[in-house]
Amino acid sequence: MEDTKNEVEKVAFEASEIEYVSYGGEHHLPLIMRLVDEELSEPYSIFTYRYFVYLWPQLCFLAFHGDRCVGTVVCKMGDHRNTFRGYIAMLVVIKPYRGRGIASELVTRSIEVMMESGCEEVTLEAEVTNKGALALYGRLGFIRAKRLFRYYLNGVDAFRLKLLFPHRPPMLANWEGNEVQCSDDSSKQYQGLPFECC
Amino acid sequence: MENEVEKPQQGIEMAETLSIPSGEGSVWTDVSSLIAAACKDLPDGELIHGGNFSLFAAMSALEIMDPKMDSGIDNGRYHSIDEAIENGAAPVPLSFDRTVDALCIIDIMDHLLACEATWHKGHSLAQTVFSCLYLLRLDRTSSHALLHSYCRVVHATCNAIISVVSDARTHEEEDLFTMAYGLPLGGEKDDRCLSNLNAVEETLCRQLRASKALSAKKMAVEDVEPLQTNFDLEEGFCKALLCRLRFRKHFYHLLMCMRRPQGRGFDLARKHISSCLSELERIRISSEFLRLVASKICDDGTLVRTTASGRQPVGFDANVNIRSSAPAPPRAIRTLSWKMALEYFEKLLHDLDIICSFSLDPLLENVLRFTVQFQKLQPDLVARAHLQLLLIQDGKLYGRDPIFAVICRAAALPEAVKDHDMQKNEFVVQLGQFVINLLKILCTNVAWQRRKLGKILQDWRIIYVQLELAFRKELGEFSNMSNDENLSMKMAKYILIWVEEQAYWIASRFLLLGFELDLYSSGEYCMVYWYIYVVLIKLAEKTHFRILASFDTAKRKGKKKRDSLMDLARDYQIPPAVLLLQCYICLADGLTTMLAALRNERKAFLSPGPFNTEHERFIQHFEHLQKACMPDHMSYLSFKESTAQASLSSLATHNHFKDAQRIARELKSSFAHDPDRVAELRHIEQVAEHNSIALNVISRVGALDTTLKISFEFTYHPYFAVAVVKRS
Ligand SMILES: CC(C)(COP(=O)(O)OP(=O)(O)OC[C@H]1O[C@@H](n2cnc3c(N)ncnc32)[C@H](O)[C@@H]1OP(=O)(O)O)[C@@H](O)C(=O)NCCC(=O)NCCS
């Protein structure tokens, strides 16, 4: 988030050198965990990661530059108050690779899968101070639907961002994971355990 | 996780020792071997997913021994309060050197103040004020009058504050604040805290007088034992302690005064507020003395931010009660600095002073305006809770005016109807509840407030429909509208007008708060201002009706009926409140048109996205208003139609900003007695003026000049933007 603080040495690369892959199994998990642990301050237990990648592997993507994993997105989807909605839980690109559209490509892929799976909308939370993420999601059509007072452990407010898909006739797909209860953003957040980002 | 192997076994042991009876259809069996086998199969960090394992559960799972999550982890310090105390973490007295003892006590006072402010700002009591070992074991301090009295009054103050906030209770924001389980809080011990404090204050006064007398080379007036042993420091120490004690005393008094019903203690409260403020100033000044003393007596180099002296306070340990603090990971808390704590309390006192200065205006319109103005100061939870308790006590406004009477007055009905049977109508009763609810919501933090306002819009819409039906059923058709002979008919009519007005007021506040919370992006301004425009038109219309009605009521009082219509026509002018709305309407109209023109002619502020269109964003932003049909028949299509033709040239011929400016100028005399509104009019003028200029520049240069960079900023008004034009 704070790319400006200590100028990060950027890596020279062509956009075409970045390879995007869908979550491919156990060997990807440590890569994701390391990236998120490094960039986000909220503590996530391994269960949180597993919860996402095992239930919705199709919504999780990784970006590689050669062997190096440089970015990832982790999401879920499920019923929430009579709507089927997607939720972006974590999005990270490592500093030397930022500003080149990698994050946009990662979320775009997840959102496309969500749309194809019949989601009516996509949501996430982002710190009100996270200019980069807010700009990125704004360009994708997310609105700032609500402000959440002191949402994060550090006492900072969050925005709930939402992207509503154009209305389509209801789908009768056999969704994966639609039995999973989501209580992640019921109005009463589990105190002290919100997602930092995303 | 290694500990996982142990955990289930513990569970089984428990089951055996406590012999919990088997439930219906279930019996206890020993599953140790099964679990042991499962453990072998399930490496570290793996997970068997059950259908009820939600994100909530995943996030609640703690990794044992991970310092970020495990609040029970051995942090290397003390395991319990008793252990800390046994190890001398909180000695009484703090030192046998009485000078050092005095200094240490002041450090404790200062650090406690910092903790208290940190608590008010949203951290748990356990990790802030109750990180003080002395407070956790109040009785231990009883031999030390000074320390004891201070701790007692802090304790009592915490109780008082918790009670205000939990009585006001409107929102989960308060949950963490009032959470006090496991802490030694509770009422009975507080009664004598002031007499204790007064006695100690008295002693200090004598010590101060004695030291002054001595330094004036007079003889000791009284036989007073000095506070400490260093004569040169005696006066400074006495003063530093006195202002700290007195601040606590007045602060406690203030809280008690504010709790008196119907604002009866407000005059006295204001006196205590002003005393508190002067004591805070003395506390601030004392820091110079304390820093000097600290550097002389015991200079260990490192300075902390939470005390005036810069010394590390003795007797605090944020970890000893961490286990009682929450079932969640400990929030990393950073205690406010002592300076910030002083600032916090000053701000709180000013906010409370504003509440105490409120005239308890019986007219709802003014109450709403007061709460909105108050919120602009961004008061914190404690001040907001006080406001709420003032507004609603025992289901009445200020604990004084029954809600039905408030509604009647708001709806411009004559005083006499407030005992009318209509108040028993179930929908009228419900309406009363909605009014109470609205007032409470207006006291919550603005982020939460906006969400609630969005949700109650529908309630107001529905109650309108229900009331209308109920009145019709009771009173027959409203066709004979002019027939005001029938009091009930008149009441029904007036109340309905007012309910609609109120609903549009809520809608406008909902929309405007979006700016305050930074919820709109510049690509959305056009539709937001358009919506504000249509809502304000409705609001102005309803307000106008209502004021006309009140005019009517007032006229009737003294005159015979046949005169009134003529008078009405003769005296009639558009009321200032409506004209003020008219100003906003012009601004909103102007901004909508300007933005639409820029979109139409320059393709600016369009913000297309790959996944949806503006239509979806419109639905999302205005969902609550659309569901409540506010206003009727307004949709995305209406927005598109009314902005499709907007052009800069048409704006030039009909400049809405000029209208706003003119009306605002004319209105100033009507509001001469009201500085808030005069300031508001000034801001309106500025917005209008700057936008007129910007429009001129844009049209002169020509809409298609791509070197012009246009942005919108909130330089002069929080809700109404001004266009800023730059050459790139
Ligand atoms: C947010 C983050 C994922 C962005 O990654 P990225 O690969 O640099 O993003 P992109 O290059 O795809 O950016 C796309 C657009 O977002 C906006 N953007 C991204 N970073 C920005 C920044 N620091 N400041 C302003 N805008 C920014 C820009 O509009 C950018 O488009 P542009 O380059 O054409 O102007 C990355 O900064 C990150 O990992 N941050 C730390 C974790 C985090 O905050 N995650 C988001 C949680 S909700």
Side-chain angles (χ1 to χ4, degrees), chain A residues 77-79 82-86 117-121 175-176 178:
Chain A
M77 58 190 175
D79 281 320
N82 304 324
T83 56
F84 191 61
R85 62 149 68 152
S117 315
C119 285
E120 291 147 74
E121 59 181 11
W175 301 313
E176 282 191 60
N178 56 356

Side-chain angles (χ1 to χ4, degrees), chain A residues 26 33 37 40-52 54-55 76 81 87 107-109 111-112 115 121-122 128 138-155 157 159-160 162-167 179-184 187-195, chain B residues 1 4 43-47 49 51-63 66 68-69 120-123 171-173 175-176 179 325-332 380 384 445 447-448 450-451 455 516-522 524 607-613 615-617 619-621 623:
Chain A
E26 197 62 8
M33 284 176 62
D37 272 352
L40 310 180
S41 65
E42 301 275 323
Y44 299 124
S45 76
I46 186 164
F47 300 113
T48 305
Y49 294 102
R50 286 202 191 283
Y51 171 78
F52 286 111
Y54 276 74
L55 289 170
K76 66 174 216 155
R81 296 198 193 129
Y87 179 78
V107 257
T108 297
R109 286 180 185 230
I111 294 171
E112 274 166 357
M115 192 149 84
E121 59 181 11
V122 184
V128 295
R139 286 163 47 122
L140 293 174
F142 282 80
I143 68 149
R144 291 169 236 154
K146 294 172 182 173
R147 193 171 175 120
L148 309 165
F149 185 69
R150 289 206 191 119
Y151 185 72
Y152 292 107
L153 294 179
N154 58 14
D157 289 1
F159 286 123
R160 169 144 312 129
K162 283 193 183 181
L163 173 78
L164 179 69
F165 292 128
H167 188 70
E179 289 170 359
V180 176
Q181 199 182 313
C182 14
S183 48
D184 58 285
S187 64
K188 182 142 181 134
Q189 260 285 340
Y190 183 56
Q191 187 212 102
L193 280 179
F195 268 123
Chain B
M1 257 109 285
E4 250 167 84
D44 216 16
E46 283 206 354
L47 175 69
H49 180 247
N52 60 353
F53 188 78
S54 62
L55 177 57
F56 181 82
M59 301 261 312
S60 310
L62 297 178
E63 279 184 53
D66 179 333
K68 280 205 236 166
M69 299 180 206
H120 287 198
K121 281 282 188 183
H123 292 284
H171 165 38
E172 70 232 34
E173 181 194 348
D175 286 359
L176 185 67
M179 197 164 59
S325 62
R331 273 176 184 250
D380 285 299
R384 282 186 280 107
N445 73 65
W448 175 259
R450 183 175 192 271
R451 280 147 71 187
K455 288 192 184 134
E516 206 162 311
L517 297 169
D518 195 20
L519 295 179
Y520 309 129
S521 66
S522 56
E524 294 156 0
S607 68
F611 295 108
N612 64 11
T613 66
H615 191 171
E616 280 73 39
R617 293 194 278 279
I619 296 172
Q620 287 176 288
H621 270 306
E623 184 187 9

Side-chain angles (χ1 to χ4, degrees), chain B residues 159-233:
Chain B
N159 269 331
I161 298 261
I162 289 179
S163 117
V164 169
V165 173
S166 50
D167 288 354
R169 178 160 292 277
T170 47
H171 165 38
E172 70 232 34
E173 181 194 348
E174 282 93 26
D175 286 359
L176 185 67
F177 187 89
T178 53
M179 197 164 59
Y181 49 75
L183 299 178
L185 274 160
E188 359 83 52
K189 287 185 190 157
D190 291 341
D191 327 333
R192 291 198 326 272
C193 84
L194 280 177
S195 53
N196 260 328
L197 197 65
N198 287 334
V200 173
E201 187 190 343
E202 180 63 26
T203 312
L204 275 169
C205 281
R206 268 191 273 124
Q207 287 164 331
L208 177 62
R209 247 180 285 138
S211 85
K212 278 186 176 164
L214 262 175
S215 55
K217 301 269 191 284
K218 284 185 236 154
M219 291 305 292
V221 221
E222 300 166 74
D223 183 20
V224 182
E225 193 194 345
L227 170 71
Q228 44 80 54
T229 46
N230 189 334
F231 173 73
D232 292 337
L233 304 179

Side-chain angles (χ1 to χ4, degrees), chain B residues 624-656:
Chain B
H624 292 299
L625 295 129
Q626 293 274 299
K627 273 191 195 150
C629 307
M630 298 184 69
D632 275 322
H633 316 301
M634 285 298 165
S635 64
Y636 180 66
L637 219 62
S638 336
F639 162 64
K640 284 311 266 181
E641 277 168 8
S642 56
T643 52
Q645 305 304 325
S647 69
L648 289 164
S649 55
S650 67
L651 244 181
T653 46
H654 186 162
N655 189 331
H656 308 277

Side-chain angles (χ1 to χ4, degrees), chain A residues 1 40 91-93 98-101 103-104 130 132 136 139 197-198:
Chain A
M1 196 167 56
L40 310 180
L91 170 68
V92 173
V93 170
R98 287 188 191 167
R100 299 286 301 277
S104 304
N130 192 344
L136 186 160
R139 286 163 47 122
C197 134
C198 317

